[in-house]
């Protein structure tokens, strides 16, 4: 665990430059706008340890899967998010010496991510080997107003000398991915052009033929006056740049404003990329840096108005939740149903940048409550449009008749995860896809989605489960063999309780929705049944038989559900009994030792109790929580939030708060020693859930909002906003009262601690002594 980020309500602040922490900071200070993103690499050259990363939404590379022994059903490739053109680059030479923080003496270093206004600021003083001292200030952002563009203002001021500073703004497509096989490069140049004012490079991926045009324009000013000096145009393969030599005097400020456009064939015809790139550059350069920054601030103000959570009395907790919300908002906007949310967003390459079940299980609730309904609907449409690929994925494993297995990892619907225990066995992901439909409809009341799209997905998923089970004569029950549950520290187990119950639930929900669609739109039902060759009576009969006869491993003595058969055969050691130097297990123990231990990576049984909470009484949830949480190492970023929510439900306030802090500051404090690879974007939605569903106790029951709030002892108050159907509510929880403001023009009845409360239009209800 690290503790070098200064606590501040609205800013992420690093003071002092430690090269050993640089890759972590590159992740933490990343910026993006839903279309493109950039790690916090330096504009100037840096020869120290760095993971350079500039990413374009939807652009990926199908790298050949590397496995020891090929088996039928393995995916053909592993999809990788691609490091794209370096658009931020500005080389600086001071009387022939390169400005490089790995070789210069660095003083007064300060890096700030201003989350309120959406920009990255870096300031420092550097002293070269010859003793020349310069003050540098670099400010940049990816515009969320002009979402194919980014802009930089980079200033250099000589402190103790007069001389020449050579400035070279450039665009470089000759980039590599850290995880590329054998150092392979993924881009070929298509065209390039350079003028005295900038230029552009168009490149294509060596597979799949994605085209991206990245261009720049720049302006150089000295003491706020634009200057025009001779320019040396530089061209080489996949690179364009402009070298300008500027005479400077001590105390004179040299400013470079660099405007960049990143135009993808995902959004425009390939033959138009160059002209669109030039048009965008001219347009944003015409606006100027100050106008673009003003627009950026205004746009972020609107985002915060929708999604901010305010905490009084605990700066660490406040900073953590805002950091998570900030990263979610700059990663995904919901405007394009072809896009989804990678576990690292635009902050790193790990996990291939692909879509996991994280989106449905963890991210959807955040967007349901903080954004327009269409944002969450587009997340569902992303999966609907991949249904045929999910059917093909299942066919590769031997399933038939339209059964669908959604991928564990994907960019376009095809499975591209190359570990057998995940690809073949972590099949519970199908349950998250179905649950997302249920969650969306329950929250929005948009049953039309089930009629138009959802039922087709639910039938395909139910068909998969009905084929994946087999009947055990010994148990006289249906069983599911050879799986990996959410706890990935167990592989190839039989009858994982969560997998079994989510399979049954999927079939049960599919039956309910078949009946709903037949009743409400019989014509559509008949059309769909013909399309997917649905044998209603036969298939529903089989699904119901499996539901009624499914096997669930339990420990009758303890009154708990068994994570899987044989779990109690393991030596039962609690995490608290482990020497601290053994953690994290995934970095200290062999995989063999982990698999033979009782330790749990993340919520497994408790994931099922979280999803299906209404089916279990509080005592059942408590018994299982108190058995499994002490055995959980929380080495998945997805783990603390589920446990925090359940601890809150059970009245375990201190534990709920402890786990909230862990999920909220997971990356900021580098809990698991892996932030350098990128931030855990999808689990950041779990931080929001920990406050709203955990401390706020928000639930949807029978189409109505329920709250059962408490406040951590460390806080004076907290507040959040909720969009729910036609209403917008603001909830403020203090130590001695709860206020709920109806910001809508129609009344609504909610439930507070089980009691109905009518909220009048544009009025606030105050409940004292809560």
């Amino acid at each position: 665990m690290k503790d070098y980020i200064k606590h501040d309500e609205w800013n992420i602040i690093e003071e002092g430059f430690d090269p050993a922490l640089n890759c972590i900071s590159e992740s933490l200070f990343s910026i993006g706008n839903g279309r493109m993103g950039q790690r916090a690499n330096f504009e100037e050259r840096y020869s120290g340890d760095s993971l350079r990363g500039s990413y374009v939404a939807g652009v990926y590379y199908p790298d050949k899967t590397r496995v020891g022994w090929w088996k039928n059903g393995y995916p053909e490739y592993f999809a990788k998010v691609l490091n794209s053109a370096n658009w931020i680059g500005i080389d600086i030479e001071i009387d022939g010496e390169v400005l490089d923080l790995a070789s210069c003496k660095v003083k007064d270093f300060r890096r700030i991510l201003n989350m309120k206004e959406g920009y990255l600021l870096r300031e420092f003083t550097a002293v070269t080997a010859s003793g020349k001292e310069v003050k540098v200030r670099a400010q940049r952002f990816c515009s969320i107003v002009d979402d194919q563009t980014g802009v930089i203002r980079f200033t250099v001021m000589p402190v103790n000398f007069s001389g020449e500073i050579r400035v070279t703004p450039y665009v470089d497509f000759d980039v590599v991915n850290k995880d590329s096989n054998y150092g392979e490069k993924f881009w070929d140049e298509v065209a390039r052009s350079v003028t005295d004012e900038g230029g552009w490079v168009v490149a294509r991926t060596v597979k799949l033929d994605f085209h991206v045009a990245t261009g720049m324009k720049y302006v150089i000013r000295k003491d706020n006056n634009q200057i025009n000096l001779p320019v040396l145009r530089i061209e080489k393969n996949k690179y364009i740049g402009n070298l300008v030599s500027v005479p400077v005097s001590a105390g004179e400020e040299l400013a470079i404003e660099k405007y960049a456009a990143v135009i993808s064939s995902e959004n425009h015809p390939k033959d138009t990329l160059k002209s669109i790139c030039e048009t965008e550059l001219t347009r944003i350069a015409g606006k100027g840096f100050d106008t673009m920054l003003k627009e950026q601030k205004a746009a972020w103000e609107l985002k915060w108005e929708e999604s901010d959570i305010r905490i009084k009395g605990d700066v660490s907790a406040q900073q953590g939740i805002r950091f998570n919300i900030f990263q979610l908002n700059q990663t995904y906007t919901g405007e394009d149903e072809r896009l989804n949310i990678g576990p690292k967003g635009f902050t790193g390459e790990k996990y291939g940048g692909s879509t996991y079940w994280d989106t449905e299980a963890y991210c959807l609730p955040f967007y349901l409550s903080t954004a327009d309904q269409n944002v969450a609907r587009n997340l569902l449409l992303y999966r609907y449009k991949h249904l045929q690929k999910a059917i093909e994925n299942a066919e590769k494993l031997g399933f038939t008749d339209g059964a669908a297995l959604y991928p564990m990892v994907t960019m376009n619907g095809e499975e591209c995860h190359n570990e057998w225990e995940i690809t073949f066995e972590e099949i519970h992901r199908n349950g998250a896809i179905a649950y997302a439909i249920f969650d969306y409809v329950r929250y929005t009341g948009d049953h039309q989605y089930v009629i138009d799209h959802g039922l087709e997905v639910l039938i395909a998923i139910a068909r998969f489960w009905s084929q994946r089970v087999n009947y055990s004569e010994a148990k006289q029950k249906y069983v599911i063999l050879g799986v990996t549950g959410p706890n990935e520290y167990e592989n190839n187990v039989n009858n994982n309780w969560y997998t079994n119950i989510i399979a049954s639930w999927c079939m049960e929900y599919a039956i309910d929705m078949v009946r709903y669609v037949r009743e409400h739109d019989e014509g559509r039902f008949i059309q769909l049944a013909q399309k997917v060759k649905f044998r209603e009576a036969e298939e529903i009969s089989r699904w119901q038989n499996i539901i009624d006869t499914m096997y669930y491993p339990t420990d009758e003595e303890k009154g708990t559900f068994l994570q899987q058969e044989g779990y109690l055969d393991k030596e039962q050691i609690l995490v608290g009994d482990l020497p601290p130097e053994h953690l994290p297990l995934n970095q200290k123990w062999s995989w063999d030792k982990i698999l033979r231990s009782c330790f749990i990576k993340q919520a497994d049984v408790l994931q099922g109790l979280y999803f299906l909470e209404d089916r279990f009484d509080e005592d059942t949830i408590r018994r299982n929580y108190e058995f499994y949480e002490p055995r959980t190492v929380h080495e998945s970023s997805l783990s603390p939030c589920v446990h925090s929510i359940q601890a809150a439900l059970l009245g375990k306030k201190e534990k709920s708060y402890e786990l909230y802090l862990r999920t909220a500051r997971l990356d900021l404090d580098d809990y698991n020693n892996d932030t350098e690879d990128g931030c855990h974007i999808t689990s950041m939605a779990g931080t929001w859930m920990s406050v709203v569903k955990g401390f706020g106790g928000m639930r949807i029951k029978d189409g109505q909002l329920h709250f059962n709030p408490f406040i951590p002892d460390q806080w004076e108050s907290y507040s959040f906003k909720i969009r729910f159907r036609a209403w917008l509510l603001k909830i403020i929880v203090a130590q001695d009262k709860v206020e709920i403001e109806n910001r809508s023009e129609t009344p609504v009845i909610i439930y507070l601690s089980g009691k109905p409360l009518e909220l009048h239009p544009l009025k606030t209800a105050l409940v004292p002594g809560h």
Side-chain angles (χ1 to χ4, degrees), residues 538-599:
E538 176 189 339
E539 294 194 64
I540 285 182
S541 175
R542 174 164 173 78
W543 298 349
Q544 190 63 57
N545 184 38
I546 295 169
I547 294 165
D548 294 340
T549 323
M550 183 68 81
Y551 173 69
Y552 301 106
T554 58
D555 182 331
E556 301 295 341
E557 183 179 339
K558 292 183 175 64
T560 58
F561 305 120
L562 284 180
Q563 184 174 271
Q564 72 269 344
E565 285 189 285
Y567 180 76
L568 290 180
D569 293 337
K570 295 169 176 285
E571 186 179 3
Q572 296 297 312
I573 306 172
L574 304 186
V575 176
D577 296 330
L578 282 173
E581 60 268 20
H582 285 231
L583 298 172
L585 298 184
N586 59 19
Q587 297 173 27
K588 303 297 179 63
W589 282 14
S590 71
W591 193 244
D592 170 71
K593 188 173 181 179
I594 290 174
L595 290 176
R596 289 186 286 107
S597 79
C598 72
F599 296 116

Side-chain angles (χ1 to χ4, degrees), residues 272-286:
T272 67
L273 298 185
K274 291 179 287 187
S275 61
I276 293 173
C277 185
E278 290 175 340
T279 299
E280 282 292 277
L281 288 170
T282 299
R283 187 174 64 81
I284 63 173

Side-chain angles (χ1 to χ4, degrees), residues 321-332:
I321 188 65
R322 280 190 173 137
F323 177 69
N324 287 270
I325 294 171
F326 176 78
Q327 292 289 359
L328 285 163
N329 278 329
Q330 68 172 2
T331 298
Y332 182 76

Side-chain angles (χ1 to χ4, degrees), residues 11 18 75-76 275 288 302 309 332 341 424 426 462 564 610 652:
N11 300 285
D18 183 348
E76 295 292 326
S275 61
L302 292 176
I309 288 179
Y332 182 76
I341 308 159
F424 299 160
E426 203 162 338
Q564 72 269 344
Y610 163 68
K652 299 176 182 288

Side-chain angles (χ1 to χ4, degrees), residues 28-220:
L28 295 178
F29 291 83
S30 296
I31 55 174
N33 61 15
R35 290 285 180 195
M36 55 187 280
Q38 173 67 50
R39 280 174 63 84
N41 310 123
F42 299 156
E43 288 86 358
E44 74 278 7
R45 287 187 221 173
Y46 181 65
S47 58
D49 191 17
S50 173
L51 172 59
R52 297 206 67 87
S54 178
Y55 310 110
V56 182
V59 175
Y60 68 98
Y61 180 83
D63 206 4
K64 178 66 176 176
T65 295
R66 295 180 68 181
V67 293
W69 293 96
W70 191 266
K71 294 178 175 64
N72 287 336
Y74 271 145
E76 295 292 326
Y77 65 88
F78 178 64
K80 291 180 176 176
V81 61
L82 290 189
N83 186 11
S84 189
N86 177 6
W87 61 267
I88 66 170
I90 304 173
D91 285 347
I92 303 292
E93 292 184 31
I94 303 160
D95 282 341
E97 294 179 282
V98 174
L99 179 61
D100 180 347
L101 297 196
S103 58
C104 293
K105 181 181 177 182
V106 183
K107 303 189 300 183
D108 304 322
F109 183 94
R110 184 174 171 88
R111 182 161 26 188
I112 301 172
L113 182 64
N114 186 315
M115 299 182 290
K116 187 174 186 179
E117 299 179 351
Y119 64 80
L120 172 62
L121 176 66
R122 185 169 55 103
E123 298 174 312
F124 62 90
T125 298
V127 183
T128 69
S130 68
K132 292 184 173 63
E133 187 170 324
V134 292
K135 287 187 176 180
V136 175
R137 187 178 193 272
Q139 185 178 15
R140 73 171 183 248
F141 55 91
C142 292
S143 173
I144 60 171
V145 176
D146 303 297
D147 65 3
Q148 299 176 109
T149 70
V151 62
I152 302 166
R153 177 179 279 160
F154 191 97
T155 65
V156 187
M157 186 178 74
V159 175
N160 62 351
F161 71 97
S162 297
E164 181 183 74
I165 294 182
R166 301 176 78 189
V167 177
T168 308
Y170 63 87
V171 171
D172 184 8
F173 245 118
D174 193 20
V175 293
V176 297
N177 271 55
K178 181 180 180 180
D179 65 348
S180 63
N181 289 338
Y182 314 109
E184 181 182 11
K185 293 184 177 180
F186 299 137
W187 296 97
D188 285 336
E189 182 183 287
V190 174
R192 66 175 182 264
S193 175
V194 62
T195 69
D196 286 354
E197 298 176 340
W200 46 260
V201 180
V202 179
R204 60 177 293 275
T205 57
V206 297
K207 293 182 183 176
L208 301 186
D209 203 36
F210 290 109
H211 283 52
V212 174
T214 301
M216 70 167 189
K217 275 185 176 292
Y218 69 96
V219 175
I220 297 179

